[in-house]
């Protein structure tokens, strides 16, 4: 497939003259990665939200933010009567690694506006959507946050390893509410609402929370973690999920900090339980 290419940034990142403060500006210590499909999380981010491929002519453009949210006008003008697919999901941390899928356009998730709490999502299908490994978390401590809404009718392996059976998911499937083979952080939370998951890794072990509740006992106790992908990994099961937010820190958050960040994420997506 021949893809067009456009270097322009469409959309103004920061609300001019508004003294914009990002929702995560107070939580940047140890922050390695911050992805959000709808919101400008950090006032320091000068890049876009996504590089989007439109499905009719296959041209690409970087879609920015306006008034702290993805520029819907620019997005709709770019895709026209077609659909928009994420070539690159921009990391809002300066110097951080993006989620990228340029090798196979059929594996690019679809960017959809006005989905969860009127916000955009990156929808990964139940077939083969996936993005290249963006972080190696072999050395602890670290904390990962994931906001997603699983789609009924399939499995959900949202963040997973390209080399073994490590998973972070809130909705893998109803029959797997406890430990699956490998290092799995999974608690079936259902498809009725979006959920926020937090995986906290320390030298002594790993704790897994879903919607603020400790679900470690009903998940695999992940004792190690290496590279992680968004979407397809070693096991070819599609993510089948609408992904809103991914945050990665190189520190282990205590319960107070974790709860504060989860509260911010709930403010952005009020339908999270």
């Amino acid at each position: 497939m021949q893809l067009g290419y456009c270097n322009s940034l469409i959309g103004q990142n920061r609300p001019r003259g508004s003294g914009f403060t990002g929702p995560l500006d107070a939580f940047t210590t140890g922050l390695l990665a911050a992805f959000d499909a709808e919101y400008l999380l950090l006032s320091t981010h000068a890049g876009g939200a996504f590089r989007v491929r439109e499905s009719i002519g296959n041209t690409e453009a970087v879609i920015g933010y306006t008034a702290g949210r993805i520029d819907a006008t620019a997005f709709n003008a770019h895709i026209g009567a077609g659909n928009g697919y994420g070539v690159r999901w921009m990391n809002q941390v300066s110097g951080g690694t993006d989620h990228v899928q340029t090798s196979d356009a059929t594996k690019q998730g679809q960017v959809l506006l006005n989905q969860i709490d009127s916000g955009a999502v990156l929808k990964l299908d139940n077939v083969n959507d996936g993005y290249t490994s963006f972080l190696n978390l072999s050395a602890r401590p670290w904390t990962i946050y994931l906001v997603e809404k699983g789609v009924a009718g399939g499995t959900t392996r949202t963040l997973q390893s390209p080399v073994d059976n490590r998973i972070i998911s809130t909705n893998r499937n109803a029959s797997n509410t406890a430990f699956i083979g490998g290092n799995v952080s999974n608690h079936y939370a259902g498809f009725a609402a979006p959920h926020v998951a937090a995986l906290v890794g320390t030298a002594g072990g790993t704790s897994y929370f879903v919607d603020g509740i400790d679900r470690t006992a009903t998940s695999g106790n992940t004792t190690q973690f290496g590279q992680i992908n968004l979407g397809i990994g070693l096991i070819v099961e599609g993510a089948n999920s609408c992904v809103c937010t991914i945050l990665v820190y190189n520190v282990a958050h205590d319960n107070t900090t974790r709860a504060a960040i989860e509260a911010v994420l709930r403010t952005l997506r009020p339908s999270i339980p």
Side-chain angles (χ1 to χ4, degrees), residues 17-261:
S18 65
F20 177 76
T21 299
L24 281 184
D25 279 359
F27 300 97
T28 58
T29 300
L31 184 60
L32 299 178
F35 300 89
D36 196 281
E38 174 70 22
Y39 292 99
L40 180 60
L41 298 175
L42 301 169
S43 60
T44 54
H45 180 53
F50 291 95
R51 176 175 288 279
V52 174
R53 174 180 62 86
E54 50 82 19
S55 61
I56 297 176
N58 291 313
T59 61
E60 298 176 9
V62 175
I63 305 300
Y65 297 93
T66 182
R69 305 185 73 154
I70 193 170
D71 192 330
T73 300
F75 176 84
N76 289 325
H78 175 57
I79 69 169
N83 296 318
Y85 294 90
V87 177
R88 180 182 297 268
W89 194 2
M90 308 296 192
N91 189 344
Q92 297 188 31
V93 177
S94 178
T97 305
D98 299 336
H99 289 301
V100 181
Q101 179 51 267
T102 56
S103 62
D104 187 344
T106 68
K107 296 181 179 180
Q108 294 166 354
Q110 186 175 1
V111 181
L112 296 169
L113 304 187
N114 300 312
Q115 298 296 304
I116 298 173
D117 295 307
S118 301
V121 300
L122 180 65
K123 185 180 186 299
L124 305 178
D125 66 19
N126 196 37
V127 183
N128 68 344
D129 285 355
Y131 291 77
T132 54
S133 177
F134 71 102
L135 282 174
N136 191 317
L137 300 175
S138 298
R140 286 176 286 180
W142 37 256
T143 305
I144 303 171
Y145 297 88
L146 168 67
V147 178
E148 67 170 342
K149 184 177 185 293
V151 179
T155 56
T156 303
R157 288 174 171 262
T158 309
L159 295 175
Q160 62 170 311
S161 168
V163 295
D164 59 21
N165 194 31
R166 300 173 187 146
I167 305 169
I168 305 175
S169 169
T170 62
N171 290 292
R172 183 175 182 272
N173 57 48
S175 64
N176 285 283
T177 56
F179 182 72
I180 314 167
N183 294 295
V184 179
S185 299
N186 169 73
H187 175 81
Y188 180 72
F191 302 115
H195 302 281
V196 54
L199 187 67
V200 183
T202 68
T206 305
S207 298
Y208 185 59
F209 302 84
V210 178
D211 300 331
I213 300 173
D214 191 337
R215 298 296 187 181
T216 306
T218 53
S219 301
N221 186 13
T222 303
T223 56
Q224 59 179 329
F225 227 87
Q227 288 182 302
I228 52 175
N229 285 342
L230 173 59
I232 289 295
L234 175 71
I235 308 297
V236 183
E237 285 185 2
N240 208 36
S241 179
C242 292
V243 184
C244 302
T245 310
I246 300 170
L247 308 175
V248 180
Y249 290 82
N250 64 3
V251 293
H253 285 158
D254 59 22
N255 287 339
T256 300
T257 303
R258 176 183 54 78
I261 292 175

